[in-house]
C-alpha cells in the first residue's frame, strides 16, 4: 500500500446525521468501522466492504438501559423486545433486588411470585418460559451467556434471591439472619460479582 493509501474499511456509514453523545450539535458525516471499532468519524474517504447510506437518518451510540426486568425473558428471548427495537444496546437486570438466581430446586415458584408481585410481570409467562438450568448465580450467567442475542446484558446479584436461597421461607418474615447466614449471603454476592 502506498503512503496515503487507506486500507478498505469493513463498514462505512455515509451521510448520517451524527449525534455523538457529547452534547455537541448534530452534524452530517460518515463513520468508518473496522472489526468492532469505530476508526474514523467525519468525512471518510475510500471504500468499504459494506457501505450504508444513512441520508436523513440519525446515527448515534446505543443506549444503556440501567433498569430493566428482563431477568426471565433473557433466558428464552434473544431479541429482548421492545428495548432492542428502541435502540437499547445494553440492558441491566436484577434491579429492585429481584431476579432468578441463585435458586434452590423447589424455590422457583417463590421467585416467580416475587417478580410478579413486585414488577407485575405475568407469572404464567415466567413459569412457562424459564427452563431453570441453574442453581447458582454463576450458573445463571452461564445460561444467559449460552444464548446469542441482539444486545448486551448485565446482571446485578438480586438481594431477594440471595436471601431466599439462604433463609428459605424465613426470608419473607421479620426474621433477622444470624452471623453465619449473613456470611453465607455475603459469599454468594462475592461469587456473583466475581462471575
Amino acid at each position: 500500500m502506498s503512503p496515503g493509501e487507506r486500507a478498505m474499511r469493513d463498514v462505512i456509514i455515509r451521510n448520517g446525521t451524527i449525534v455523538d453523545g457529547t452534547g455537541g450539535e448534530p452534524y452530517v458525516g460518515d463513520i468508518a468501522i473496522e472489526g468492532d471499532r469505530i476508526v474514523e468519524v467525519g468525512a471518510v474517504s475510500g471504500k468499504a466492504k459494506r457501505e450504508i447510506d444513512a441520508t436523513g437518518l440519525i446515527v448515534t451510540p446505543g443506549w444503556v438501559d440501567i433498569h430493566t426486568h428482563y431477568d426471565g425473558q433473557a433466558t428464552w428471548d434473544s431479541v429482548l423486545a421492545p428495548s432492542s427495537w428502541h435502540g437499547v444496546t445494553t440492558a441491566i437486570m436484577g434491579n429492585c433486588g429481584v431476579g432468578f438466581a441463585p435458586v434452590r430446586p423447589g424455590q422457583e415458584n417463590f421467585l416467580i411470585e416475587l417478580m410478579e408481585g413486585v414488577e407485575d410481570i405475568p407469572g404464567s409467562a415466567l413459569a412457562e418460559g424459564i427452563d431453570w438450568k441453574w442453581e447458582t448465580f454463576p450458573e445463571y450467567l452461564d445460561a444467559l451467556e449460552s444464548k446469542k442475542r441482539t444486545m448486551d446484558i448485565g446482571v446485578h446479584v438480586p438481594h431477594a434471591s440471595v436471601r431466599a436461597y439462604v433463609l428459605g421461607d424465613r426470608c419473607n418474615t421479620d426474621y433477622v439472619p444470624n452471623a453465619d447466614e449473613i456470611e453465607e449471603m455475603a459469599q454468594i454476592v462475592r461469587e456473583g460479582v466475581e462471575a
Side-chain angles (χ1 to χ4, degrees):
M1 190 169 5
S2 64
E5 188 178 336
R6 186 164 275 162
M8 181 174 282
R9 308 293 193 179
D10 290 333
V11 177
I12 297 176
I13 302 171
R14 297 222 183 258
N15 302 312
T17 300
I18 299 171
V19 180
D20 62 13
T22 65
E25 289 295 315
Y27 59 95
V28 174
D30 308 324
I31 299 174
I33 302 166
E34 291 181 12
D36 63 355
R37 301 273 188 246
I38 294 173
V39 294
E40 189 176 358
V41 177
V44 176
S45 61
K47 301 257 183 216
K49 296 172 189 167
R50 179 174 176 218
E51 296 205 14
I52 299 168
D53 181 10
T55 302
L57 302 174
I58 295 174
V59 181
T60 186
W63 289 289
V64 177
D65 188 340
I66 62 169
H67 190 132
T68 75
H69 291 284
Y70 284 127
D71 311 72
Q73 186 175 338
T75 67
W76 73 78
D77 179 7
S78 62
V79 177
L80 297 180
S83 292
S84 62
W85 299 343
H86 298 158
V88 173
T89 56
T90 303
I92 306 300
M93 309 178 307
N95 297 286
C96 301
V98 294
F100 298 113
V103 59
R104 290 195 190 279
Q107 280 187 334
E108 298 91 348
N109 200 51
F110 171 78
L111 296 180
I112 287 173
E113 289 174 358
L114 184 61
M115 184 68 82
E116 184 177 39
V118 173
E119 298 303 332
D120 201 26
I121 296 172
S124 57
L126 296 170
E128 186 176 321
I130 300 174
D131 62 19
W132 302 102
K133 292 184 177 178
W134 62 86
E135 180 174 341
T136 69
F137 190 80
E139 290 169 343
Y140 174 67
L141 294 181
D142 289 343
L144 293 173
E145 185 70 24
S146 72
K147 181 167 226 33
K148 291 185 182 236
R149 55 187 80 252
T150 58
M151 66 166 132
D152 296 320
I153 55 174
V155 188
H156 295 291
V157 180
H159 177 69
S161 301
V162 171
R163 281 183 58 86
Y165 191 83
V166 173
L167 303 177
D169 291 339
R170 296 171 299 164
C171 76
N172 221 16
T173 68
D174 291 336
Y175 174 76
V176 177
N178 63 41
D180 289 340
E181 292 163 334
I182 290 172
E183 178 52 36
E184 186 178 353
M185 287 187 271
Q187 180 54 39
I188 290 169
V189 172
R190 277 192 294 274
E191 177 184 62
V193 170
E194 288 172 7

